[in-house]
Amino acid sequence: MEGTDMKYIYYPGCSASGTGRGYEESTLPVFEELGIEMVTLEDWNCCGATAYMSVDEAKAFALSARNLALAEDQFPDMDEVHIVAPCAACYLGLLKAKKYIDTDPKIGGTIRKALQSAELDYTGRAKVRHPLDVLVNDYGLDKLKEKVKRPLTGLKVAAYYGCQIVRPYSDFDEGHDPQTMDQVLEVLGVEAIEWPHKTRCCGGAQTWSSDPFLELVWIILKDAIGSGGDAVATACPMCQFNLECFQNKIRAKFDYQKKIPVVYFTQLMGLALGIDANKLGMNRLFERLELPASV
Amino acid sequence: MSDNGSVKNNWEPRIVAFFCNWCTYTGADLAGISRMQYRPNTRVIRLMCSGRLDPQFIMKAFREGADGVLVGGCHPGDCHYQEGNYKALRRITLLKKMLAQMGIEEGRLRLEWISASEGDLVQKAMNSMAETIRELGPLNLAEIPTPHSHDKEPVAAGVEGGA
Amino acid sequence: MYEKEIGMTTPELKPNGEKSRIGVYICHCGTNIAKTVDVEALREFAEKLPDVVAARTYKFVCSDPGQKMIRDDIQDPDLKVNRVVFVGCTPRLHEMTFRKVISEAGLNEYYLQVANIREHVSWVTPDKEEGTEKAKALLAGAVRRVHEHEALEQRRVPVNPDVLIVGGGIAGITAALTIADAGKKVYLVEREPSIGGYMAKFDKTFPTLDCSACILTPKMSSVKSHPNITLWAYSEVAEVDGYVGNFKIKIRRKPRYVDEDTCAGCYDCVEACVFKKPKFPDEFEVGMGLRKPIYIPFPQATPLKAVIDPNTCLQLTTGKCKQSCAEVCSKNSINFDQVEEIKEIEVGTVILATGFKAFDPVRSPEYGYGKYDNVYTSVEVERLCNAAGPTGGNVVLRDGTTPKSIAIVHCVGSRDKKTNAWCSRACCMYSLKLAHLVKERTDGEVFNFYIDMRTPGKSYEEFYDKILDEGVHFIRGRAAEVRNWALDEAEEGKLVVRAEDSMMGVVRRIPVDMVILSVGLEPHEDANEVARMFNMSCGTEGWFTERHPKLAPVHTFTDGVFIAGACQGPKDIPDSVSQAGAAASEVLALIDKGYIELEPNTAFIDEDKCSGCHTCIALCPYTAISFNEEKGKAEINEALCKGCGTCVAACPAGAAQQHHFTDDQIYEEIEGVLEYV
Amino acid sequence: MSKPKVGFYWCASCGGCEESVVDLAEDILGVVDAVDFVFFPVAMDFKRSDVEAMADGEMAVCMINGAIRTSEQLEMVELLRKKSQLIIAYGACSSLGGIPGLANLYSKESLLKAAYGDELSTTNPDYTLPQTEIKVKEGMLDLPELHDDVKSLDMVVDVDYYIPGCAPPVRLLKNALTAILEGNLPPKGAVLAPDIAVCDECSLNKTKPEKMLVSEYKRPHQDHIDPEKCLLAQGFLCLGPVTRQGCDAACPSVGMPCTGCQGPLGSVVDFGAKALSGIASILDSNDADEIAKLFDEIPDPAGTFYRYSYPKSQLFRRTNFKEETK
C-alpha cells in the first residue's frame, strides 16, 4: 500500500463532533487521500483536558490512561501503538498523562491500579502523535509534494501553532519557533509568512469570560494581518474558535476594521490535494477563504 | 571442608563476595560507618576492580563451600579504571549461562553495581542475597573423587542424586 | 631437549622460599569491635591456624603501644614474625599505617594483610556470636593470603621538568608565566592566531572597571619575550602518548602562510592586499568588524604576526592573484606553500586551560537573535564598547544611530533546561558592567531583565549598588521573548521585550532600540575529544571533571594532567587566575619532588607462559600492554599500568599476573574465608 | 638385558588413541625393538589373566586411554596400577574425562532413558536396560556395571604422567617414550607437553590484529572461514589461547577452530572457566542487553568450554540438581 506502512489509531476527542468539526472533516479525508491508514479508537473517552486537569490531576490522568490502555488493547501485537490526536488539548492531555505515568512511579502506580480495577493495562507501548508530527516525520514532505494536485500558489498564510502542541512535553518541533506547519504549507505551494506570534496564547477558555483576553486574540490577528497573511492556519479547535468567533467583538473593542479567515491547516491540505472545499468542512467558516486567482 | 551438606533449621548460607576497592568495598565500609545492620552470611574479598574477577575465583569459591557468590562493581560508566566493570559484566553474563547448564541456579551468582555512596544498597544486597540462597538451600557439590576417597566407597553412591 | 620440549607443571614454590611465621594482631577498637565480636575467642582461633606464631589482642592496635607490640614480635629472636595480619578496621583506613610499622621493623611493607572486622563485621552485625564467626572467617582468609605475599617495592619514575599548557587565555597565560618564572620550560599552545582569549576582547573588567587591555597585554608580551616559554599560536594538540612525568605529545601547527620567524607585523602586507577594503567577517571582532584575507588579529596580538585565511585569499583559493602582499613584504615572509607542521615534544606535566565558548543564542529563538538586526550578544557589545573595537568604542546600532533605550537580557543559555541548566556565574556581573558602559556611552535608558541577581565576590555587591545608583532599571523576571512587533504607536519600529515582572506580578512590554543578550558560558564542542586524548573525562555538561570538587579542584583523574580556568566550569577572571596559580603550583610541586611513586600492584607477564594470543592488549584502558614482535609476547609497561587486573583475569594462559593480587593469593583467601568456619 | 615391558589399555574411549600409536608409522619398528608390548588389547591377543599373572610392577609403563565409567574399567585400571611402575593417562578422556565426561551434565537415569527409552531411533518396547548379569546356558555371566558418573583416570588410581590430546599428537608420544627409555622424566604429575598455549605454535598467530576484539562469535558453519587469518580474530570461537600446545596447531592451521583437546595449562585450575573468561573478555560490547544477545551465539557454553574436561571442572558435578531436559 502507499502512504506509510504504519498503522495509526485515531483519537477524535470531543471537539471533533462539536466546535472543531471542520478539523475532523478535513483531517480524515486528507489522511485517506495520502493513504495513511487510521482506525478510530474504540470506546474512547474524554482526554481529561485542561479544565479537569486543574480540578483533579489523578482523575484526569486516569481518563487519559484509559484511552492509552484501550489503544494498546486494540493493537495487541504491535510493539508501538501510535495514537494520532489532532486536537491540541487532547494531544497535550494524553502526552502529559503518558509522561507522568511513565516517569513518576507514584502516579504511575495509582493510575495502573485504577486501570486494573477496570481490567485494563497500560504497558507504555502507546505513543501519542500529532498529525503534523506524522506528516513530517513518518510520511515525509517529499511524498506529500508528489500528492499535491492543486498548488495553492500565491496564498499567504500565517501558520499559528498555539501553545499546546509544541510545549512543554512534545518534542517534534521547536517550542518557541516551530517550523513543521510552515514546512507542510510551503509544500502545498502556500507562502508561509514570517511572523513572531506563532505560539502566542489565544486566550484559551478565558475568551468567554473576560474582555482583557480579547486583547490576546487581537494581538495575534493584528500581527497575522500586519505581516501580510491572507489567512491564519491553526492546528487546534480552541485556537481556531477563538481567532474566528471573536473578530466582530474585537473590531468593535479596538476599532479595527480588518478581517481574516482562520482555517485548519488540514483544510488547506485538502484543497491542495484536490478535495472539494465542502467535503473539508470549509462551508462552516465564518470568514470564507478566498483563493487567489493564481490557484 | 566443613559440613555444608545438611539442611538443618540452623543451616546458614555461606556467601563469598568479591567487591571492587573503589566503589562497592568502600560502599560496604560506608554501610559499616552508618551502622546499617545486615545478615552475616557474606564474606567479602577485596579486589582492586571487578575487572580482576577471574571466573575461576567463582568456581573455586563454589568448590570450597560457598553456596552463593556476590560480585560488586562500580556503576556502568563510573569504573575507577574506566571499563573494568564492563569486562566483569561480559564474563558473568556468559558464566551464568554456563552454570545453568551445570545445574547451578541463577540466583547463586549475582552481579551488583554499587557505588561508594550507596551503603544502603550494600545492606540490601547482603540481605536479599542471603535470603535467595536460604531459599535455594545448600549447594551440595559432590566431592571430587580421588583414588583414596574411592578406596572407601564407590564415588558413585554418594554423588548421584539424579533428576 | 627434554625440558625445552616438555615444559611441565611443577608444584608452585612459595615466594622467597622462607617459611611463613605469621603474627595476628586483633584490635578491640575500644568497644567498637569488642562489643559485638569476642576478640578473645578470635585470638584462640587464630593461634590454631597454620603458621601463626603469635596472636594478640589490644585495645587500640593503631596506638603507639599497639604498633610497638607488632615491631617487637617481628624483632623477637624466637618469634621472628615475618608476616603480619592486622584484624580491625578497614584497610582503607590503616593499611598504610601498619605498612609503615612493619617496614620500620625491617619487614617488607607488603608482608601485611588486613582483615576488616569493624566496618564489615562489628558495626553491621548485632549478634555477637554471628559476628565472631564471621570475623573468624575473614581473619582466616587474611592469614592464608598473607602466606602468599611477596616482597614488593614502590616504583619511582622521574618527572620530566618541561610543561605543556594548552590554551592561551588569561588562565593559560598566568600559569605559563608562573612556571616559567620558576625556571621551568613551558610550551604554550593556543588554537587561535593570537593568545589573549576572551579577556583580550573586553574593554573594562568588573568590578573595578579597570582597562582590560592595560592589565592583560603586558602579560601577553612577557609571554612572548620569556626565555623559558615556547609560544605556539594557531596550533593544536594532535596526539598524546605516555604518562605522568613522561608524556610524548604531538602538536599540530596550522599554516599561517607567513613565516613567523621573519614577519615583523608591520601591516605592509595587509595594506597591500588586492582587496582594497576589508570584506570578510573578523573572527576577533566576533563578526562586528571586517578584515582582509591577510590580517593581524588585533594591534596587541601576540605573536604580532600576519596570518592568511586560506578560505578567502585569492591566491590560495583560485591560485590567481598578483600576490601584492608578497611583493611588498621586505622580509619575504609570505609563503603560500607553507604546510601543516607536526612538532613532537616531551613533557612531564600538562595544564589544560582551554576555556569556554559563548552560548549561541540562535538556540533560543524566542530572543530573535539573527532575526532582528539590533539584537546583540554580550560579546559583540564588549567589542562595541572597546575603544580599539570596530566602532572606536561608540555603542551604536548597525545603522550607525545611537540607541536611546537598551535591554540587557540575563541568563540566555543559562539556568534554562531547554539549553543549559547551570548558572554561568559571570553573566550577572558582566551584565552590570555592560549596563554601566552602555549607559555611559549612550546616556540611554538601560533595562536589565534578570531572574536572580548573583553577585558573590569581593566588592561585587557594592558594584551592583553603584549601578543601581546610576539609574539603570532592573526588572526581576526571565524575559519571555523579544519581538519587533508593535502593539501601539509607542512600540512602532522598536524591539519589544516581554517579561513577567515578578515583583509587580504583571507582564510588561518594554520597547527598546537595542537588545543585549547576556549569553552563558559553555564547554567547547570538542571538550570530550580533548578529554579522551588526555585519558580524562567530562561531566554530562561537557566541563572537564576535576578529581574532587572540593579537595582536588585542579587535579584530574589522569595523574600529571591539571585543569585551570573555565574549562573546568564557568568562572570569571579572578577565579580563573587563582585556579591557574593553583595548577601551576601543583605542577611545580611535582617537578620539585622529581619523581612519582607508583603502587606496585601492577600486572606483569610471565614470558614463558605467554603464547602471544593478544587477548590482554585491547582490554587495557591505559594502553599499558603492547606486543613485542620479535619475542612474540605481550609486554606490560608497569609505569602505565594502574593495577586494575582486568588483563590478568582475561589472560587465558595465566601468564598475566598482578602483584599483590596474584591468583594464588586470592585462591588462598577464598579457601581461608570458607575452610575453617 | 631384557627390554622394558609396556602395556596399553583402553577404557571409555573411541579407539582414536590406539590409532595415534599407529601414527608413529615406521618409527613404530624402533619402538618395538626398544620395548616389549605385554598388553595391548586392540592390537595383540593378551588376556586379563596374563596381566594377573604378572608380578607387581613387572610392567615398566602402562598407558591407559579413555575415561572411567564402568566397574570393569575400574577393576582393570586398579589391576594395571599394581602391575606397572608407571601409569600414564593417555589422551584427553583419561586425563580430563574427555567427551564422555560431558555425560556428567545429566543423571544416569536420563541418559539411559535417552539411549534405551522412547527416542525415535530406539525400539525397546519393554524398556530393557543394561543388566549386571546375564544367564547363558553355561551359567551366569557378570556384566560391567555403569557407574553414576564419568571420572578421569587419576580420580580412581594414582597417575604418574599425562599425555594430552584427542588423540595425542605422535610427537608427544615419541618424546615420552624417549624420555622413559632415557630415564629422563620430569617430576611426577607432569603433563608431558609444553606448558604454553597453542597460539604460540600456530602459523596464523602473526595475522592477529594488535587489538583483539570480537564484535560477534560465529560457529564454523555460519560464515566463510579465511584459513589465512587468525580464526578467533574472525569471530570463530577458537580455544587456541587457553589450550596447551604440542599439536602443532593442527586444527587452526587447516582452518578449524581449536576445541581445547590438549587441555589446560599448568597455572589454570579450571579450564572451562578460564577459557570462558578469555573469550568473554574480548567481546566488544559494553551494553548488557547486547552482550546477552551476542552470547546467544554460544548456545552450549558448557559443551564448548568443557568439551574435554568437564569432570575436571572445580565443580566436578552438582548433586540433586534439576537438569535441563534435553
Side-chain angles (χ1 to χ4, degrees), chain C residues 245-260:
Chain C
N246 303 277
F247 290 101
K248 287 185 182 47
I249 297 176
K250 288 202 176 91
I251 308 290
R252 179 186 306 109
R253 304 214 59 196
K254 296 175 272 183
R256 271 177 179 268
Y257 304 103
V258 171
D259 176 8
E260 219 179 287

Side-chain angles (χ1 to χ4, degrees), chain A residues 208-287:
Chain A
W208 290 102
S209 51
S210 57
D211 280 3
F213 287 90
L214 285 178
E215 180 170 345
L216 296 173
V217 178
W218 179 58
I219 288 174
I220 294 166
L221 295 174
K222 184 165 182 277
D223 185 27
I225 297 165
S227 315
D230 307 329
V232 177
T234 65
C236 169
M238 170 66 75
C239 301
Q240 196 276 342
F241 179 87
N242 282 343
L243 297 191
E244 186 179 51
C245 302
F246 294 95
Q247 294 199 13
N248 294 337
K249 263 187 160 183
I250 285 169
R251 283 195 289 272
K253 185 170 171 19
F254 300 96
D255 109 71
Y256 181 76
Q257 295 324 316
K258 304 211 178 71
K259 306 172 171 185
I260 187 166
V262 182
V263 301
Y264 293 102
F265 78 98
T266 42
Q267 293 177 316
L268 296 176
M269 289 183 73
L271 292 177
L273 297 176
I275 304 170
D276 171 42
N278 296 328
K279 294 213 179 70
L280 297 165
M282 296 186 77
N283 47 338
R284 303 184 190 285
L285 295 174
F286 290 4
E287 231 23 275

Side-chain angles (χ1 to χ4, degrees), chain C residues 377-396:
Chain C
T377 71
S378 43
V379 186
E380 290 165 345
V381 175
E382 292 281 0
R383 290 313 297 158
L384 289 184
C385 294
N386 193 306
T391 58
N394 300 320
V395 177
V396 290

Side-chain angles (χ1 to χ4, degrees), chain B residues 12-146:
Chain B
E12 280 294 331
R14 302 197 309 162
I15 300 160
V16 169
F18 297 94
F19 284 175
C20 80
N21 178 63
W22 305 96
C23 287
T24 317
Y25 192 92
T26 314
D29 284 353
L30 177 62
I33 292 157
S34 332
R35 307 298 197 276
M36 296 171 169
Q37 314 287 294
Y38 54 79
R39 299 294 306 138
N41 308 68
T42 306
R43 294 129 196 219
V44 177
I45 292 176
R46 181 170 68 129
L47 302 173
M48 291 313 283
C49 175
S50 55
R52 174 65 180 94
L53 185 77
D54 185 329
Q56 293 189 111
F57 298 166
I58 296 169
M59 299 305 233
K60 183 77 172 169
F62 282 135
R63 165 48 57 199
E64 296 301 323
D67 302 300
V69 173
L70 172 64
V71 180
C74 311
H75 287 277
D78 296 350
C79 176
H80 181 79
Y81 301 101
Q82 295 180 18
E83 295 208 327
N85 50 356
Y86 292 125
K87 311 298 189 302
L89 175 64
R90 298 174 193 175
R91 295 170 189 140
I92 287 179
T93 309
L94 188 50
L95 183 59
K96 278 175 171 246
K97 197 173 162 188
M98 183 163 82
L99 288 174
Q101 287 182 286
M102 298 161 80
I104 310 293
E105 300 87 343
E106 216 216 338
R108 292 192 188 271
L109 171 57
R110 182 189 295 187
L111 173 62
E112 293 270 2
W113 304 134
I114 301 178
S115 80
S117 59
E118 296 173 323
D120 53 329
L121 293 193
V122 172
Q123 181 189 36
K124 263 207 203 72
M126 295 288 200
N127 286 333
S128 75
M129 186 76 185
E131 217 18 70
T132 313
I133 303 301
R134 189 183 307 285
E135 280 157 22
L136 289 171
L139 178 58
N140 281 355
L141 286 184
E143 293 287 343
I144 293 176
T146 68

Side-chain angles (χ1 to χ4, degrees), chain B residues 1-2 12 14-16 18-19 21-22 24-26 28-58 60-62 64-67 80-84 87 90-91 126, chain C residues 32 90-92 95 99 113-114 116 118-127 130-131 133-134 137-138 145 535-536 557 601 618-622 642-651 657-658 661-663 666-667 669-671 673-677:
Chain B
M1 282 193 37
S2 73
E12 280 294 331
R14 302 197 309 162
I15 300 160
V16 169
F18 297 94
F19 284 175
N21 178 63
W22 305 96
T24 317
Y25 192 92
T26 314
D29 284 353
L30 177 62
I33 292 157
S34 332
R35 307 298 197 276
M36 296 171 169
Q37 314 287 294
Y38 54 79
R39 299 294 306 138
N41 308 68
T42 306
R43 294 129 196 219
V44 177
I45 292 176
R46 181 170 68 129
L47 302 173
M48 291 313 283
C49 175
S50 55
R52 174 65 180 94
L53 185 77
D54 185 329
Q56 293 189 111
F57 298 166
I58 296 169
K60 183 77 172 169
F62 282 135
E64 296 301 323
D67 302 300
H80 181 79
Y81 301 101
Q82 295 180 18
E83 295 208 327
K87 311 298 189 302
R90 298 174 193 175
R91 295 170 189 140
M126 295 288 200
Chain C
N32 280 309
T90 173
R92 302 179 56 261
E95 189 170 42
R99 278 184 184 172
Q113 179 65 12
V114 177
N116 179 356
R118 192 178 74 174
E119 283 79 356
H120 288 193
V121 181
S122 67
W123 277 350
V124 293
T125 318
D127 180 293
E130 289 179 336
E133 289 306 289
K134 182 177 177 183
L138 296 182
R145 189 190 204 276
N535 220 330
M536 41 185 253
F557 282 105
N601 62 5
L619 302 182
C620 180
Y622 306 102
K642 296 242 188 297
C644 63
T646 300
C647 57
V648 183
C651 175
Q657 283 300 328
Q658 181 184 8
F661 287 87
T662 63
D663 287 350
I666 294 161
Y667 289 141
E669 188 169 0
I670 295 171
E671 288 175 17
V673 295
L674 288 166
E675 193 166 330
Y676 307 91
V677 185

